[in-house]
Amino acid sequence: MSGKIIRIDLPADPEQIRQLKLGDEVRLYGTMITGRDMAHKYLIEQKPEEMREILNHNIIYHCGPVVRKVDGEWKFIAAGPTTSIREEFYTADVIREFHIVGAIGKGGMGPRTLKACQEYGAVYLHAVGGAGTLLARRVVKVKDVFKLEEFGTPEAMWLIEVADFPVVVTMDAHGNSLHTKVTDTSTEVRNRLLGLK
Amino acid sequence: MGVFFDWGYKLVVKAATDLPEDVEQALKEARDREADGTPARSVFETILENVAMARKYQTPMCQDTGQVNFFIRLPKTYDIEDVEKELADAVHKATRDGFLRPNTVNSITNKNPGDNSGIGWPHFEFEYADTKDVVVDILLKGGGSENVGAQYKLPDTGLGAGRDLKGVEKVIIDAVYQAQGKGCSPGIIGIGIGGDRAMSYMVGKKQLLRPLKDTNPEPLLAELEASLYEKLNALDIGPMGFGGKTTVLGVKAGFAYRHPATFFVSMTYSCWAARHRRMVVGKQGVTIS
């Protein structure tokens, strides 16, 4: 882990994304969009045209926020990451089809996403799970929301502007995954404790 | 609306926004065990900052305000109907006011009614007890942590786990290993031993209401909890699965009698945001702790 903090403005410069390494601490600025299970299914099954410009060189945040309407405008009240592995089925295809350069979530993703990250120059960024209040306060504006009625609050696609949004690179564009490393270490410990192998 | 609506609302808000002190203390101790500049340390610092902010601003510490569970102990003559309705209404109001995320989804149509109403929500467990007061424990249980729960059937040949407490220990090590960081580690592990399948999970879930530093009244289980605490923290999964010295903040085990043919062991995983609070409604008034 390098210790320095890297600023990335969204939509991102693909070259800057490729240079990121495991453990890099990143602060995000600019516009990004949330998307969970229903959004990913929608993107891949319907390939909506209106999403192409929004997603190009941008990042999808795996998040279902708590929101309130204050003076007629939506406000994020709690907005930490959700478990990303549920999107493993779709993410490689979303990278390919919509040219996103990353996803933010928690828990990491699988080999298919890791391979797509390597092939197309994308990264997986880990936010701190459960840090709902802190992360919501880095969302400076809710710019729009898509599919709110149909999908409900957690699953809707919220277009948000963030500033100083803290994440860590746990899967880079060079085939490295922190999640694989931690799993390997804990596998050894588990097998020793259980007297296996 | 009555006392269970008014105070139930306060209980819900408190649970969502104010982490119990013993859990926060355990997180501070975990932070202090990690070296400066490590990702594990930075995760704990973010968590603790978030906990303080949620308390200060009275906003949910985590956006997944979970499944709402009420565990209620009643005097034997109590009418439970108004308790149930008033607490459910309090949950709906807290949802409309932005303290709970609308988390109920119709499993057949996939539609979300938007106010946390629906069959089975909130979840109630009633128990008549030898008590003068009504004791209501609330547990907000997030979906990510619920997803990594697991149930085993002893013996488990693959894990070398037989039908005894050593076997129980082995399957729990495997369950927490399988969970990795995905349940928002460090977790609190609720273990249910015995019962039928449903009871086994419920015994484990109820353990999550216990204070972290209590001692299990059953000495064999106290021993199991201490032993598992050491072993699980050796897994090096750490906070968020980044690697680190603290994988679990606590291990709590309970048991029920089993059928001779069955031996279920269930692991219910609580994320670090272990949101539970207690309300006592008595003749002298109401307290929330």
Side-chain angles (χ1 to χ4, degrees), chain B residues 16-272:
Chain B
T17 60
D18 189 356
L19 190 70
E21 295 69 19
D22 61 337
V23 182
E24 188 176 10
Q25 184 56 34
L27 287 164
K28 285 180 180 165
E29 288 163 17
R31 173 199 59 197
D32 295 343
R33 283 193 288 271
E34 303 292 350
D36 278 335
T38 57
R41 174 118 187 168
S42 135
V43 168
F44 282 121
E45 277 163 1
T46 303
I47 286 175
L48 286 162
E49 191 185 345
N50 177 65
V51 167
M53 286 170 91
R55 190 175 288 137
K56 180 176 169 195
Y57 298 115
Q58 273 223 348
T59 49
M61 70 191 80
C62 176
Q63 74 293 336
D64 183 2
T65 52
Q67 168 163 319
V68 183
N69 299 279
F70 290 106
F71 301 88
I72 303 175
R73 278 185 291 148
L74 298 158
K76 291 196 170 85
T77 53
Y78 215 87
D79 176 8
I80 62 173
E81 202 175 317
D82 54 340
V83 178
E84 200 168 333
K85 183 175 180 323
E86 288 190 22
L87 288 175
D89 285 344
V91 167
H92 303 154
K93 179 170 162 53
T95 309
R96 287 194 302 274
D97 293 350
F99 288 105
L100 296 179
R101 190 173 70 183
N103 265 354
T104 58
V105 180
N106 182 316
S107 305
I108 299 171
T109 63
N110 282 333
K111 290 280 181 246
N112 185 328
D115 63 354
N116 276 323
S117 64
I119 298 170
W121 291 73
H123 180 73
F124 292 97
E125 290 278 318
F126 288 101
E127 194 184 315
Y128 283 117
D130 198 12
T131 165
K132 285 200 172 59
D133 304 328
V134 182
V135 182
V136 180
D137 283 317
I138 187 172
L139 172 69
L140 303 180
K141 183 71 174 61
S145 65
E146 191 65 9
N147 271 337
V148 299
Q151 188 167 73
Y152 293 76
K153 201 170 59 173
L154 297 181
D156 187 309
T157 314
L159 297 172
R163 294 188 139 196
D164 52 23
L165 289 180
K166 280 206 155 42
V168 172
E169 180 166 280
K170 285 187 173 182
V171 297
I172 295 299
I173 290 169
D174 186 62
V176 174
Y177 157 78
Q178 299 288 349
Q180 292 289 312
K182 293 185 180 67
C184 274
S185 53
I188 298 167
I189 308 304
I191 304 168
I193 305 166
D196 67 0
R197 285 186 184 274
M199 198 193 303
S200 179
Y201 265 127
M202 192 45 78
V203 168
K205 188 164 277 183
K206 282 184 180 170
Q207 304 308 311
L208 300 177
L209 302 172
R210 287 168 48 194
L212 276 181
K213 298 277 185 209
D214 73 351
T215 305
N216 198 313
E218 169 56 60
L220 288 172
L221 293 185
E223 218 174 282
L224 176 75
E225 290 174 358
S227 166
L228 271 169
Y229 180 82
E230 290 295 315
K231 287 174 177 158
L232 296 174
N233 280 323
L235 284 169
D236 200 13
I237 292 168
M240 294 300 126
F242 286 6
K245 296 187 175 70
T246 307
T247 296
V248 299
L249 297 173
V251 180
K252 301 288 163 189
F255 76 110
Y257 278 48
R258 60 182 178 83
H259 182 283
T262 68
F263 199 139
F264 297 111
V265 181
S266 304
M267 186 278 277
T268 297
Y269 196 105
S270 167
C271 57
W272 65 259

Side-chain angles (χ1 to χ4, degrees), chain A residues 72-182:
Chain A
E73 284 194 24
W74 289 111
K75 197 168 177 335
F76 272 30
I77 301 300
T82 192
T83 307
S84 298
I85 195 69
R86 292 197 310 271
E87 317 317 335
E88 177 68 5
F89 187 72
Y90 296 112
T91 294
D93 295 334
V94 174
I95 291 172
R96 193 174 302 121
E97 180 71 31
F98 292 94
H99 311 116
I100 59 168
V101 290
I104 306 167
K106 72 177 175 82
M109 301 191 70
R112 228 175 133 243
T113 300
L114 189 61
K115 189 159 174 279
C117 283
Q118 196 170 5
E119 220 167 303
Y120 296 93
V123 291
Y124 178 78
L125 303 167
H126 204 296
V128 173
T133 284
L134 186 146
L135 292 169
R137 295 178 77 86
R138 307 292 167 92
V139 176
V140 295
K141 193 178 169 55
V142 178
K143 299 173 88 171
D144 206 347
V145 58
F146 301 89
K147 296 281 174 186
L148 180 57
E149 276 301 303
E150 196 180 334
F151 292 175
T153 300
E155 299 280 342
M157 301 176 80
W158 298 87
L159 190 68
I160 52 176
E161 191 182 323
V162 299
D164 198 25
F165 193 94
V167 290
V168 177
V169 179
T170 58
M171 290 163 63
D172 65 18
H174 308 283
N176 303 305
S177 166
L178 176 67
H179 307 284
T180 312
K181 288 185 180 176
V182 171

